[in-house]
Amino acid sequence: MERYDLPDAKGHFGPYGGVYVAETLMAALDELKNEYERVKADPTFWEEFRQELKHYVGRPSPIYHAKRWSEQLGGAQIFFKREDLNHTGAHKISNAIGQALLARRMGKKRVIAETGAGQHGVATATVAARYGMECFVYMGSEDIKRQSPNVFRMKLLGATVVPVESGSKTLKDALNEAMRDWVTNVDSTFYILGTAAGPHPYPMMVRDFLSVIGEESKEQMPELTGRQPDVVVACVGGGSNAIGMFYPYINVDGVRMVGVEAGGHGIDSGMHAAPLSGGAGVGVLHGAKSYLMQDANGQVVETHSVSAGLDYPGVGPEHSYLKDIGRAEYVAIDDKEALAAFHDCCHLEGIIPALESSHALAWAAKVAPTMGKDKVILVNLSGRGDKDINTVAGLAGITL
Amino acid sequence: MSRIAACFAALQGKKALIPFITAGDPHPSRTVELMHGLVDGGADIIELGVPFSDPMADGPVIQRASERALVHKVGLRDVLAMVAEFRKTNTTTPVVLMGYLNPVFVMGYAAFAAAAREAGVDGVLTVDCPPEEAADLSAALIAADLDPVFLIAPTTPEARVREIARHARGYVYYVSLKGVTGAGNLDIDDVARKIAALRAHIQVPIGVGFGIRDAATAKAISVTADAVVVGSRLVQEIEAATEQTAKERLTGLVAELKAAIL
């Protein structure tokens, strides 16, 4: 394909993206865009970023050959990009560090974040502690219930967790509330957005900070297998870990890219969180135009997924574009399939994966048997599942 | 002359009062009578909120109003039907729809503009659609003789004010504070300074809203602004009233505000 060079100067990925926010935030987003453009060209910023990733996060994260599981499935070889081994247990920390370093350069002493599963909240609370910033994390009260270990971790790290009671009390409402905080405290506050969505420049910035996932993979896979993978797979809620894996591979011919959305109780049930693969139309939410789960009146509908981190009605605009141009495919895995993969990964590989990442694992496990043994699937194992043990126990009728 | 321009012309320098209520709150069957109640109290223009599931720029009061309306699944077409019903007995008071872009985007800009015109809408303010993204919507609105109303914020730099001035029709809505609707940190002197600065670039009337909660504040704001917008305070009144007393209480409060402003 032609050289891929998006977004354009106004933050558009084809018809998607853009800056759909209230006027009060426009100047702040302009300032952020200009500051990011400056640091993008500043090698000292990236050197500092790399040092932090190496010594604080523990990057590069390894790639691991899931031999037993691959053998049992009897088809393609499955490899894991071990983002679960990063400090704080998920890919989110790399983005949080990038944005916090930017906040520091801009002289902002207060950071805010939204969180669903709590991984981005923990990552933000962590970097706020590391850099001496005041931190407020907005989290839906439903998510607070199902992710209580992460809530306590954030508090241990010194952050204030603000429960959000409006709407569906999940990630989308946490994002609304974070935006309301930002509009009120725009002079003092940096909003560390946790996914590759939101108004420009966030989708681009989050992608750039997380591209380290795909960049490392591109170096590691030839060392391990002598070549690039046939397929790269990642779960997609807002789509941050997926775009981090996909972006460096966009111009690599022959690498199929698959984003796995949350099928919830099944696409036909309507109780899912799969705007790209579930037949949703296009809409405008949280500052960008993208595929969006909504009703005929343009009201955003409630979503369902066993994993809080995927329970989001929208998706990052770059994924909408990659879907339309056919460069990436998007599929859905339902709650049951994800849970089965969660348990298989525990038993066969000795790795407890996040329920979010389990969706990507489930797709790989489903498709591997249909592929030859010489084929290679690289799954982005975006986070570890310690935070999910209450949920999984609860589904099995066990109270911890 | 558009209904909005005619309204400001008829005021002959007196200041306009623009009350806001959310369509469908507390119940869809009450909205038209509440609109008439606003006019009875002295409303010069009505801003009618289109309920949205994710009202990012609104404080808790207007969020709750949206939620009450959405219990009854009030959609953009329902809101237009309410305006059409209102127009059967009121052909002079301008009605400006205020809401978020997605319901309008989903209906389609041209279809929406035509239907809004047909219903008797005069202006449209989409909170989350700044001029940068508004070209298609504004063109559709202007083609249907509707005024695109834009926000200006305390954070808006002068270059953007000039840009917004090129696109604004009807009036501009100056957001009096950094925050969401109904917030409590309004600084009247600061607003007065900003309005004076805006006059260098803005040709249309300047309305001021967000955080105006009582007659005294409305009066102080009206010294410099051409119009005073009151929303959350009125929605609170609806919240505190019964369905039966809401109209009377709104009329009373609007009359008090109208009497106070210059």
Side-chain angles (χ1 to χ4, degrees), chain A residues 8-79:
Chain A
D8 67 16
K10 290 182 169 178
H12 295 119
F13 301 87
Y16 305 113
V19 188
Y20 293 90
V21 297
E23 178 61 27
T24 311
L25 291 178
M26 289 301 291
L29 286 164
D30 263 346
E31 184 195 3
L32 180 60
K33 189 179 74 179
N34 294 336
E35 189 63 26
Y36 183 61
E37 267 162 25
R38 259 194 298 278
V39 304
K40 219 171 169 175
D42 178 357
T44 66
F45 177 85
W46 296 101
E47 183 50 34
E48 189 178 12
F49 180 57
R50 271 189 295 271
Q51 288 297 317
E52 290 292 278
L53 293 188
K54 183 176 176 189
H55 298 291
Y56 189 62
V57 176
R59 300 202 77 101
S61 66
I63 288 185
Y64 164 79
H65 185 189
K67 271 190 197 148
R68 287 192 69 210
W69 202 359
S70 301
E71 266 168 36
Q72 199 198 61
L73 292 165
Q77 301 305 305
I78 298 176
F79 288 75

Side-chain angles (χ1 to χ4, degrees), chain A residues 216-292:
Chain A
E216 287 174 2
S217 300
K218 264 169 82 176
E219 280 187 26
Q220 293 164 315
M221 286 307 287
E223 289 165 14
L224 278 165
T225 66
R227 63 185 180 87
Q228 297 299 345
D230 298 290
V231 191
V232 293
V233 193
C235 63
V236 177
S240 65
N241 89 80
I243 204 68
M245 175 60 94
F246 291 177
Y247 184 61
Y249 277 108
I250 288 177
N251 288 319
V252 180
D253 289 337
V255 178
R256 190 178 160 200
M257 308 195 305
V258 179
V260 184
E261 296 187 304
H265 294 324
I267 297 298
D268 295 340
S269 73
M271 305 259 302
H272 58 84
L276 292 172
S277 56
V282 173
V284 176
L285 180 70
H286 294 150
K289 192 181 285 181
S290 200
Y291 282 88
L292 177 66

